[in-house]
Amino acid sequence: MSCANCALRIGTFVKTVPGVAEGSVNFADKSLKVEFIPEETTPAEIRKAVRTIGYDLIIDEANSQELKEEAQQQLVKKIRINTIGSAAFSIPLVIISMFFMDVPRANYIMLALAAPVVFWFGRQFPVSALMQLKHQSANMDTLVALSTGIAFFYSAFVTFLPGVISKAGIHDHVYFEASAVIITFILLGKLLEEKAKANTSSALKKLIGLQVKSVVMMTPDGMEKEISVSDVVPGDILLVRPGDKIPVDGVLDSGSSFVDESMITGEPLAVEKMINSRVFAGTINQKGSFRFRAEKTGDDTLLAQIIRMVKEAQGSRAPVQRLVDKIAGVFVPAVISIALISGIIWYFSGADNALTHSLLAIVTVLIIACPCALGLATPTAIMVGIGKGADNGILIKDAESLEIALKVNTVVLDKTGTITMGEPVVNNIIWNRNTDKEETSIILHAIQKNSGHPLAEPVVRYLENSGIKSSLPDVNIESIPGMGVKAVLKDEEYFIGNKKLLGENKIIPEGGTESLADQWQKEGNSVSYFTDKKNVIAVISVSDRIKATSREAVDELHKMGIEVHMLTGDNDASARAIASEAGIDHYLAEALPQTKHDYIKKLQEQGRIVAMAGDGINDSQALAQADVSIAMGKGSDIAMDVAKMTIISSDLRKIPQAIRLSKMSVRTIRQNLFWAFIYNLIGIPIAAGILYPFTGFLLNPMIAGAAMALSSVSVVSNSLKLKLKEL
């Protein structure tokens, strides 16, 4: 594809294929995204259709990325050879035209030097133009082929039939050097553009480079066996040595180490891994060796999901692109019309050498017009922006959410797992003074170990970390809805539950214990009482602590002028305490999934642009309603599927970073479009000769060729500047 017009034409044509519902082409990364009905058409049929209009496709297969990179390298190599060859012939051509025009048969020597440039090194332009003409279309190649062709054939006519030109009273100057130098400049611009475009997808290449080809599997008899990563199935035990990349997602089975997860989460510090810790494909083991059990393999790994999401996002189209598409659709025909009109005006102007001026005006207008800059303005900025997000652990699903995020003025946060750790921990256990702490600890461990209550697990973990493990027989557990559990152990009855459970069993806590429990509840902790039939044995305080970075993130959002709200299913006391600790002014407690959805809808009805961040299945309804939905990466797959952005590390500080990234990306898109439009709006009239009546200035076609080449390169370079900016 040579310009945005090509991309638009392919996308429009693909939609005419029976069975295709939608088709769009990303000019920057040369990808075609198609929605089709498998019963009515196939990728092979779509490729066949695309070939009929002069293009080709690599169908997405296992090695499609390698094939695409190979094709890109071949294209760059081909352009480089043509650029060098073209320059080798153009340099002596320019020297002759400037200093040796009076040598015998100079015109014939220049014709001999220009012909290889126009018809061999620059053959892609006329070949593509003829292909477009065959299908009643036009693109940038049409403009280049017309302008250089007119300059060359006019000069050839002057060379072979000089008398005819002289008799007509027209200056018999030739423009061989213009036709050759224009092609050289455009080829050089294309070479720089392709190299720059390759850098826009460096983040994706980096992610793909994290994938492992082979892995060491432990056989049932304890032997090590090297196998392909594609042969790994869930349940396999795999060995990872220091310095190795982790091949698939799984859970540590034995050993311990520190793992560098920065390539996925964007967090620089290595994470300690012990037995039962989760590890992810593409991360790098730093110190110790360990074995882990494979859980997710192939396309199910987090890394594969990230690669797929980044690919799709970089190929997506921002809403602003629709305007560019409309302009691209009429750009080339409009430029050809302007060139012809300016040529006619010059011819009938009565100026000296009117035909020469007419010819130069047509050539220069055709050359300076650049649909490429327009076509590259949006997709290159999106590719770099989404790639930068991926480098920082922020996955953006599509260009639309990247464009909307900068308008966000309200952020709604789920509490559990988003603001808080999502893992309740025991803050304190106060034991009755008259109790044998060691014996009752063992009983408490035995009961909680067999209880299915959500608050039992942190108590078990706390006791085991304190060295308590019960060797007691199974406990008979009976659940008491809304209050707790009753346990029978060695014919003794015990209870673990809330204050209501005490009242039901006429157990009265000590005054000091009760006031302490009330204080804990005010602070947002969950309080459980452990009792026998008569007395309170212990009071347990459990809470879900807020993440160390949550307060910092909320403060940062406030500084950006963004209102922060919190939603939670917890009781009001707990919600108030967490909101106060995190610095959040607005909260809603005891919220059900529908309540969360309605809360966001109400904010939107007030004219607010809402971003919602959550990590659970119960958040998916609210996420779908929000203008920008953000999933915290260690949450449920459903939340990640619904959300338009995913924060892989679950660090809330990434939300203000994502909003800043959106602002920077959209600013870059606007800059690109501004310069692309201004370049064409100013360049085309100057090329047509609008300044000549006032200043006597006419633009040289060779300068026009250089300007056209540089316009595309400048747009891509401006997009690449995004990489250097801090989030």
Side-chain angles (χ1 to χ4, degrees), residues 203 207 263-264 266 306 310 385-395 648:
L207 286 167
M263 60 289 300
I264 285 181
I306 291 170
V310 172
I386 283 166
K388 188 172 181 67
D391 283 344
N392 285 275
I394 303 163
L395 290 185
I648 302 170

Side-chain angles (χ1 to χ4, degrees), residues 83-132:
T83 305
I84 293 167
S86 183
F89 281 85
S90 296
I91 292 166
L93 187 53
V94 171
I95 292 168
I96 292 169
S97 70
M98 290 176 71
F99 305 109
F100 302 103
M101 280 298 291
D102 297 328
V103 301
R105 311 191 75 77
N107 283 5
Y108 289 95
I109 296 168
M110 287 194 289
L111 187 149
L113 288 168
V117 177
V118 175
F119 299 110
W120 182 251
F121 297 115
R123 65 190 178 280
Q124 69 186 68
F125 303 114
V127 167
S128 173
L130 287 169
M131 182 67 76
Q132 295 298 318

Side-chain angles (χ1 to χ4, degrees), residues 23-34 68 204 308-318 321 379 382-383 386 396-399:
S24 64
V25 175
N26 184 317
F27 177 50
D29 78 342
K30 301 176 183 174
S31 63
L32 167 65
K33 187 177 179 181
V34 191
K68 184 179 175 182
L204 184 58
R308 186 166 62 249
M309 203 181 282
V310 172
K311 261 187 188 177
E312 287 178 2
Q314 289 191 333
S316 65
R317 299 162 75 76
Q321 186 68 24
I382 285 166
M383 287 175 73
I386 283 166
I396 299 161
K397 195 177 276 186
D398 60 30

Side-chain angles (χ1 to χ4, degrees), residues 518-698:
D518 289 342
Q519 180 60 35
W520 283 346
Q521 280 186 317
K522 284 176 186 170
E523 290 169 2
N525 300 329
S526 296
V527 176
S528 301
Y529 294 89
F530 171 39
T531 77
D532 57 21
K533 282 199 291 186
K534 296 177 183 176
N535 302 303
V536 173
I537 300 169
V539 184
I540 306 159
S541 165
V542 175
S543 72
D544 185 5
R545 294 176 189 162
I546 80 163
K547 295 172 187 170
T549 55
S550 291
R551 178 71 193 231
E552 192 181 329
V554 171
D555 288 346
E556 211 171 329
L557 288 166
H558 282 151
K559 282 176 191 169
M560 294 167 76
I562 295 169
E563 205 173 85
V564 184
H565 296 241
M566 183 187 82
L567 303 180
T568 177
D570 279 358
N571 61 60
D572 190 75
S574 177
R576 191 187 305 112
I578 294 292
S580 173
E581 193 178 349
I584 296 169
D585 300 322
H586 310 274
Y587 71 89
L588 179 69
E590 299 177 6
L592 299 171
Q594 183 63 43
T595 320
K596 291 180 180 182
H597 169 272
D598 294 344
Y599 190 87
I600 286 174
K601 195 171 181 183
K602 189 178 174 184
L603 286 170
Q604 289 170 328
E605 285 167 358
Q606 293 167 10
R608 307 198 72 82
I609 307 297
V610 182
M612 162 78 185
D615 74 328
I617 291 170
N618 63 336
D619 299 321
S620 55
Q621 201 175 344
L623 287 169
Q625 177 63 33
D627 298 290
V628 177
S629 45
I630 304 167
M632 306 311 282
K634 292 175 182 173
S636 74
D637 289 344
I638 292 174
M640 287 177 72
D641 285 344
V642 170
K644 293 294 177 77
M645 291 187 186
T646 300
I647 307 296
I648 302 170
S649 65
S650 294
D651 182 348
L652 277 181
R653 289 176 302 180
K654 298 287 179 185
I655 294 176
Q657 282 189 2
I659 293 168
R660 279 195 293 272
L661 176 63
S662 167
K663 287 179 179 176
M664 285 191 278
S665 300
V666 172
R667 193 183 303 127
T668 302
I669 289 170
R670 286 172 181 165
Q671 287 169 354
N672 287 350
L673 287 172
F674 173 79
W675 288 115
F677 277 117
I678 287 295
Y679 165 81
N680 284 296
L681 285 171
I682 294 173
I684 292 172
I686 290 173
I690 199 168
L691 296 179
Y692 186 79
F694 312 105
T695 64
F697 175 78
L698 278 175

Side-chain angles (χ1 to χ4, degrees), residues 316-552:
S316 65
R317 299 162 75 76
V320 71
Q321 186 68 24
R322 295 186 196 113
L323 170 66
V324 178
D325 286 347
K326 284 178 184 174
I327 293 164
V330 297
F331 189 89
V332 175
V335 168
I336 293 171
S337 302
I338 292 166
L340 289 172
I341 291 165
S342 59
I344 291 165
I345 291 169
W346 270 109
Y347 186 76
F348 291 106
S349 66
D352 293 339
N353 299 313
L355 179 60
T356 304
H357 286 315
S358 173
L359 186 73
L360 284 176
I362 291 169
V363 169
T364 313
V365 169
L366 291 172
I367 280 299
I368 203 163
C370 187
C372 292
L374 280 173
L376 291 167
T378 305
T380 52
I382 285 166
M383 287 175 73
V384 176
I386 283 166
K388 188 172 181 67
D391 283 344
N392 285 275
I394 303 163
L395 290 185
I396 299 161
K397 195 177 276 186
D398 60 30
E400 189 173 0
S401 53
L402 185 69
E403 196 174 326
I404 294 170
L406 72 104
K407 300 173 187 172
V408 165
N409 53 25
T410 307
V411 170
V412 178
L413 306 171
D414 173 54
K415 179 181 83 74
T416 307
T418 302
I419 297 171
T420 65
M421 301 292 289
E423 293 176 1
V425 291
V426 172
N427 295 322
N428 212 338
I429 299 181
I430 302 297
W431 299 91
N432 188 316
R433 288 190 298 272
N434 304 318
T435 300
D436 182 336
K437 183 179 171 183
E438 190 173 339
E439 185 184 336
T440 49
S441 293
I442 292 168
I443 294 168
L444 177 61
H445 181 273
I447 296 169
Q448 295 289 56
K449 186 94 175 170
N450 290 278
S451 168
H453 197 278
L455 294 179
E457 192 181 329
V459 176
V460 171
R461 205 165 48 238
Y462 176 86
L463 292 171
E464 287 181 354
N465 289 340
S466 306
I468 304 293
K469 281 198 179 180
S470 65
S471 53
L472 298 171
D474 286 346
V475 186
N476 184 12
I477 302 283
E478 180 190 333
S479 177
I480 306 170
M483 288 187 273
V485 295
K486 174 184 173 184
V488 178
L489 182 68
K490 293 182 178 177
D491 298 327
E492 287 287 330
E493 283 185 2
Y494 297 94
F495 299 93
I496 301 175
N498 56 24
K499 203 170 181 179
K500 196 174 176 184
L501 186 67
L502 300 186
E504 284 288 317
N505 291 280
K506 297 181 174 59
I507 300 167
I508 301 169
E510 294 176 6
T513 304
E514 190 169 15
S515 61
L516 184 62
D518 289 342
Q519 180 60 35
W520 283 346
Q521 280 186 317
K522 284 176 186 170
E523 290 169 2
N525 300 329
S526 296
V527 176
S528 301
Y529 294 89
F530 171 39
T531 77
D532 57 21
K533 282 199 291 186
K534 296 177 183 176
N535 302 303
V536 173
I537 300 169
V539 184
I540 306 159
S541 165
V542 175
S543 72
D544 185 5
R545 294 176 189 162
I546 80 163
K547 295 172 187 170
T549 55
S550 291
R551 178 71 193 231
E552 192 181 329

